[in-house]
Amino acid sequence: MVSISTRGKTVEIPAHVSELTPEQYEYYCCLASALGSGTINVEYFRIRWFSYLIGMGKTDFTILKTEYIAELNEQMTVIDGYLQPVGKDGAHRVTLDFNTPVNLLPSYRGFTGPGDWLDGVTFGEFVECLTVLDGLEDADDAEATAGYAHIARRLYHIPDDKEVPELLLFHAPTLLASVWKAIMSEPIDINGQKLDLRIIFKSSGRSRPDDKTGWTGIIFEVATAGLFGNVKEVEQTDMWPVLIYLYKCKFEYLNEKRKSK
């Protein structure tokens, strides 16, 4: 959070997407849609978003007296973190930042989703959703929408006879992608320890050929070890204990391999 001075008072506003309230996040998504469709440009987004965050609702701060406008203009750089450059000419094109493992919509229209970092999601749900997400890279619009709906239904436990709210079509896969990106980008803090879960998915130099079973093969291997039970029980186990177990197994294997050399 950062402090903003305006008209003789100080207000606290979130400086990053991860600090938004559910209401702020929903409005942020609305502005993102307007920006993506060309309804508004980046310059107006900055005015509208800053005005909203400082408590002016749907009124732009540009209607204020000249001295108050100048005061706020000097502080608008605090929202620069919401804008991310894209492409090779990133200095001229930007997109809004949605990269956070924090679930900014823990519940929405009667549907309850996971906690931060997908806390509460089972390993089976995680694998299923990630597999769907991976398969959408070259999908057309209809296939992509169906895939996003599938992910939203799993993460928010939306029955098949209920329509998936439009915001969750965007938010659920975005949250999933953000958590997966965090896992694959750097060591993450788990119970006060930094664990580099990326080693789970890196080649260990084994000479045996890839059996191409992917996540299904991993589930079978975990089930064979018996710690979490059979395949069905592994799938119903919270994703994080399973990932930590996989990390432990891979870490011990790599350590033994180094010792053998």
Side-chain angles (χ1 to χ4, degrees):
M1 303 291 283
V2 293
S3 297
I4 298 297
S5 298
T6 175
R7 292 166 287 173
K9 62 181 181 180
T10 300
V11 295
E12 296 284 325
I13 70 169
H16 185 266
V17 62
S18 62
E19 299 175 331
L20 298 177
T21 65
E23 293 76 18
Q24 290 170 336
Y25 176 71
E26 185 171 355
Y27 190 64
Y28 184 64
C29 289
C30 290
L31 292 181
S33 177
L35 185 62
S37 67
T39 304
I40 63 174
N41 57 25
V42 174
E43 290 71 24
Y44 184 66
F45 164 79
R46 288 169 58 83
I47 293 171
R48 180 81 295 276
W49 184 229
F50 194 48
S51 300
Y52 178 80
L53 290 180
I54 64 175
M56 294 189 65
K58 295 184 178 181
T59 302
D60 295 337
F61 75 84
T62 50
I63 71 164
L64 299 174
K65 292 181 178 180
T66 303
E67 61 266 32
Y68 298 143
I69 295 174
E71 178 186 38
L72 290 169
N73 274 329
E74 290 179 357
Q75 301 173 85
M76 278 188 68
T77 55
V78 299
I79 63 169
D80 286 351
Y82 291 98
L83 297 164
Q84 300 294 311
V86 293
K88 295 181 180 180
D89 58 342
H92 305 290
R93 295 194 299 123
V94 297
T95 186
L96 298 192
D97 182 22
F98 284 93
N99 184 33
T100 175
V102 177
N103 187 0
L104 300 170
L105 283 180
S107 62
Y108 186 71
R109 295 190 179 179
F111 302 116
T112 301
D116 299 342
W117 289 91
L118 297 179
D119 184 42
V121 171
T122 68
F123 190 65
E125 291 169 338
F126 174 67
V127 169
E128 180 181 347
C129 291
L130 199 59
T131 301
V132 171
L133 188 66
D134 287 343
L136 296 180
E137 186 174 349
D138 298 315
D140 58 30
D141 290 346
E143 292 170 333
T145 299
Y148 297 153
H150 186 107
I151 293 170
R153 289 189 187 282
R154 291 297 174 268
L155 295 186
Y156 279 79
H157 307 288
I158 303 173
D160 290 339
D161 62 344
K162 300 290 185 180
E163 186 176 354
V164 177
E166 186 173 351
L167 183 55
L168 292 184
L169 284 175
F170 169 78
H171 171 69
T174 299
L175 175 62
L176 174 67
S178 294
V179 172
W180 181 240
K181 180 180 179 180
I183 290 174
M184 298 302 291
S185 297
E186 59 185 3
I188 59 177
D189 190 294
I190 298 179
N191 297 326
Q193 299 293 324
K194 290 289 186 180
L195 301 186
D196 190 351
L197 299 183
R198 292 174 294 182
I199 67 171
I200 299 172
F201 312 100
K202 290 181 179 178
S203 171
S204 56
R206 294 179 179 178
S207 58
R208 72 182 186 183
D210 184 0
D211 61 13
K212 308 298 183 182
T213 57
W215 283 107
T216 301
I218 290 175
I219 291 174
F220 287 156
E221 286 192 27
V222 175
T224 300
L227 180 62
F228 301 105
N230 58 31
V231 169
K232 185 175 182 180
E233 290 169 328
V234 171
E235 292 176 333
Q236 293 175 344
T237 300
D238 187 273
M239 59 176 277
W240 285 106
V242 179
L243 288 177
I244 293 171
Y245 170 75
L246 291 171
Y247 167 83
K248 181 178 181 294
C249 291
K250 189 64 171 287
F251 182 87
E252 291 177 348
Y253 168 79
L254 294 175
N255 189 47
E256 289 300 318
K257 187 177 180 181
R258 283 192 292 267
K259 287 182 179 179
S260 67
K261 290 183 179 180

